[in-house]
Amino acid sequence: MNKPRDFILLIQKNRIRRIGFIVLSSVLLGLLYPTINKEFDNPLAFFNGFTIGFLGGLAIAVNEDHRHYKSIKRELFAVRLFKRVIIYTFYFALIVALVVATTYGISSGQGLLKYISGPQFQQFIFHGDYLIIVVYALFFCGLVSFTLMMSRKIESRIMFNIISGKYRKPVEEERIFMAIDLNNSTKIAEELEVERYCEFINQFYMDLTPAILSTNGQIYRYVGDQVLISWPVQKPGFNIRCLRTYFIAKNELTKQQEVYLSKWGYKPSFKAVIHTGKVVAGEIGDIKSQFVFHGAVLHQLARMEKHCNQIRVSLLLSNKYTSIIDLPSFYKLQECQQLTFNDNTEPMVLYTVKQLLEEPLAAS
Amino acid sequence: MKLTINQKYKLKWFIWLSMIGLAGGFLYTLIEDGWVMIPLFNGTLAGFMVGITIALLELYVFAGNLRKIAFTQIFVLRVGVYFILAFFITFSIFLLSRMIQFDLSFSGVLYSDEFQYYLLNRYYLVLIVCFFVIVLCVFTLQMARKLGHSNLWDFITGKYLIPRKQMRIFMFISLGGIDKIISKTGNLEFHNFINDFIFDITNSVRIHRGKIVHYMEDEVVIVWKVAAGVNQANCIRTYFDLCHEIAGHFEYYHSKYGLLPKPKCAIHAGDAVRAEIGEVKSEISFFGDAVNTTSRILNEAVKSGTDILVSQPVVDMIQIPIHFQTKDQGLFTLKGKHNKIQLYSFHLPGDE
């Protein structure tokens, strides 16, 4: 199961789902328009609605999907929304005119060019439904862009869970957790001003984001200088993606080092620990609600992270995690010093990983 | 006339929703009928009435006990009820205006050709638009509530994209260690326990103008603008209020979990930097010395078993009500800090 192809398929599944959702809603709205107008005796209207919805939705979906895996420039939410809506609406306006001209041109037997220059088309554009259709498209684009941007802000799965109410009652589930920590953060925090430190940390998080998204990691929380990411436990071939996130992120950050150095005077480096176990997942709070995990895993993760500092390695995997993965041949496990807990539980066997080859599979 | 916080909050709701209704009704009729007086007046009035009615329901019916119902269920319920109301209001306004305009009786208008034509060919559009606007508003409202306070608005306007320095009063509440509670309740019940606790304290926090920043295991972080927290010693009062609230639910906690939440809290004030962090799953959070110090004071409170520890800067700002008993706890050296800080604890008489 650890062939790169399967891995790509898993990632693609999410993309297909996202694209399908946008296209489907767009097609439905395209069909809704002639229904509202009661053009039941005109099958061409429905055909046009479908085509316009499909083409427009597909374009939006592909564009959104393309942007999804990238870290976006920090920009005002409202400005970004406005830009997108304008572009999408413009595109819709173009498609509507084209599709209508083509289908009516063909059905009336006049041909495309003759129809466009004819009075019927002029009538449609300047005095007919065209303006209303464009306003209709504007609403749709606004809604789609707003929902997508908001779901990125809140984390799409959390938003979906809030809406579906899946975690209103707490659920116990098995998850993989990874904590990524900025090294020397205390020193950096002391020497930079607080505002500058915030910017530094933010840049660091933003550079990690594409790596996390590319493996479908769910960002759980930012705590000080730490990002907590989680994945559901799946087949051994898929579970390896948590480990891959580390290497992708490391590559990405190495590339960016000069930028950090010139802007803040520090190179960012990080350590990561991966562990897995049972957690209780659920939603808490009333006027501010928050999605939380509770469980021993998170405490053990914090202990592992301290251990990381003591034995000076930058990546630690727990034996529980290594037991549920299929390790590809270009990664090699090395055993590290065991971690003992204060209470009389068994010591945890820990590993670090050496990458023997360069990453054979680029982040999608 | 001076309004209480609750009244101000309600008034704000009324104004907002009625304005949205008013603007929506006006715009719709303007697009649909153009600049004609009577439909324009009708549309605006209908929109305004719908807005007011929704505000009323929002404040007095869909508040309180309904909070724990699932998002989808309450969403569908709200949209359904509002839509039916909107239907009745618009229908009766259009009918009434025709009764006045043409000086006809109720049934006269209802069976007139003009009105019949209107109902069959134009009115359904009004309803569709109404429906979409209601869906949009209810969804935004519910989402905004989930995100907490002005977070949604701050995200959209991008207020904290650039870190901002703000003077704030911080309050950290802890239940005295997550491990102790979990060992008694287990993971799953711990979640319910903390959730019940948060639901119980939310109202006390809101009434005293505090804002919940986030929850962290067994901790809750609350923040005040300095003026709001200092006024009538709001920040200290919050603590006693929420203790009182929890004591009122003694039976419930005892029978369900076998233990009562014993909140400990730390209050401190200072400059903090507020910034929006992360591009995916953004959080608007506070950074800086004041936050760390508050967290350390909380550790002291938990360690020494004091219920409430307030730092010198806060005590200096606040006019302590006479019936609070202040006790000087002495100078503390906090972990990782060089300067010593004077801490005070508070009691209500008869609280022991």
Side-chain angles (χ1 to χ4, degrees), chain B residues 181-311:
Chain B
I181 305 168
I182 282 192
S183 66
K184 274 187 191 163
T185 57
N187 272 326
L188 210 62
E189 279 298 294
F190 171 74
H191 183 97
N192 293 330
F193 179 73
I194 202 89
N195 202 13
D196 279 332
F197 172 69
I198 287 164
F199 267 79
D200 286 341
I201 69 170
T202 299
N203 210 28
S204 318
V205 175
R206 195 177 63 80
I207 288 175
H208 291 96
R209 298 168 73 182
K211 289 190 169 159
I212 296 172
V213 181
H214 67 97
Y215 314 109
M216 178 85 190
E217 294 184 338
D218 66 332
E219 283 179 26
V220 182
V221 176
I222 300 160
V223 66
W224 282 267
K225 283 185 182 161
V226 172
V230 165
N231 184 19
Q232 299 179 349
N234 262 334
C235 55
I236 300 175
R237 248 177 235 273
T238 305
Y239 176 75
F240 291 117
D241 240 38
L242 67 90
C243 283
H244 187 73
E245 184 76 31
I246 283 165
H249 293 94
F250 173 83
E251 300 260 305
Y252 174 80
Y253 283 107
H254 211 72
S255 64
K256 194 166 175 201
Y257 307 106
L259 78 162
L260 195 67
K262 290 197 189 74
K264 308 254 182 275
C265 95
I267 304 177
H268 180 59
D271 272 330
V273 169
R274 197 174 189 189
E276 191 180 320
I277 288 295
E279 193 251 317
V280 172
K281 190 169 188 324
S282 310
E283 278 169 22
I284 295 177
S285 41
F286 289 93
F287 290 81
D289 192 47
V291 185
N292 298 338
T293 309
T294 321
S295 158
R296 300 276 152 76
I297 297 175
L298 181 68
N299 285 346
E300 290 295 334
V302 171
K303 214 165 64 187
S304 64
T306 324
D307 281 342
I308 172 168
L309 275 183
V310 184
S311 73

Side-chain angles (χ1 to χ4, degrees), chain A residues 152-153 168 221 286-287, chain B residues 67 145 215 276 279:
Chain A
R152 195 176 167 94
K153 279 257 178 238
R168 213 166 48 84
R221 172 177 271 184
D286 176 16
I287 44 176
Chain B
R67 294 180 307 190
R145 191 185 173 92
Y215 314 109
E276 191 180 320
E279 193 251 317

Side-chain angles (χ1 to χ4, degrees), chain A residues 137-292:
Chain A
L138 180 85
F139 270 108
F140 172 70
C141 295
L143 207 69
V144 167
S145 311
F146 183 78
T147 317
L148 287 173
M149 282 171 66
M150 214 58 226
S151 78
R152 195 176 167 94
K153 279 257 178 238
I154 318 176
E155 229 288 77
S156 52
R157 261 154 289 194
I158 292 179
M159 182 154 133
F160 183 74
N161 291 336
I162 284 178
I163 293 170
S164 70
K166 185 182 167 194
Y167 289 102
R168 213 166 48 84
K169 290 211 169 66
V171 180
E172 201 157 28
E173 56 187 26
E174 188 91 17
R175 287 188 86 88
I176 305 170
F177 283 90
M178 169 153 129
I180 294 185
D181 257 82
L182 182 67
N183 284 338
N184 299 326
S185 64
T186 340
K187 189 171 154 253
I188 298 173
E190 271 170 16
E191 288 176 24
L192 288 176
E193 272 175 63
V194 189
E195 282 102 329
R196 301 263 295 150
Y197 174 69
C198 274
E199 283 167 8
F200 181 86
I201 274 273
N202 220 334
Q203 190 61 44
F204 173 65
Y205 290 155
M206 283 175 65
D207 287 336
L208 292 181
T209 304
I212 298 165
L213 289 179
S214 75
T215 54
N216 283 336
Q218 184 180 352
I219 296 178
Y220 165 45
R221 172 177 271 184
Y222 302 102
V223 192
D225 59 340
Q226 187 184 54
V227 200
L228 280 165
I229 309 148
S230 82
W231 291 263
V233 173
Q234 285 180 328
K235 291 175 196 156
F238 292 162
N239 290 337
I240 195 75
R241 58 187 167 161
C242 320
L243 185 58
R244 281 172 40 86
T245 309
Y246 170 80
F247 288 106
I248 298 173
K250 201 175 159 194
N251 276 344
E252 184 57 37
L253 223 63
T254 320
K255 275 188 228 157
Q256 302 287 334
Q257 273 190 354
E258 292 306 312
V259 181
Y260 284 88
L261 209 57
S262 64
K263 220 168 169 182
W264 291 282
Y266 291 96
K267 280 185 192 170
S269 63
F270 62 86
K271 51 185 177 290
V273 289
I274 309 179
H275 187 32
T276 173
K278 270 217 165 66
V279 281
V280 171
E283 211 187 308
I284 56 172
D286 176 16
I287 44 176
K288 162 151 181 72
S289 107
Q290 201 172 301
F291 181 79
V292 291

Side-chain angles (χ1 to χ4, degrees), chain B residues 136-155:
Chain B
L136 216 69
C137 285
V138 171
F139 187 78
T140 319
L141 282 178
Q142 278 189 213
M143 218 58 211
R145 191 185 173 92
K146 286 275 173 198
L147 288 184
H149 307 289
S150 57
N151 271 348
L152 184 73
W153 188 240
D154 290 341
F155 276 145

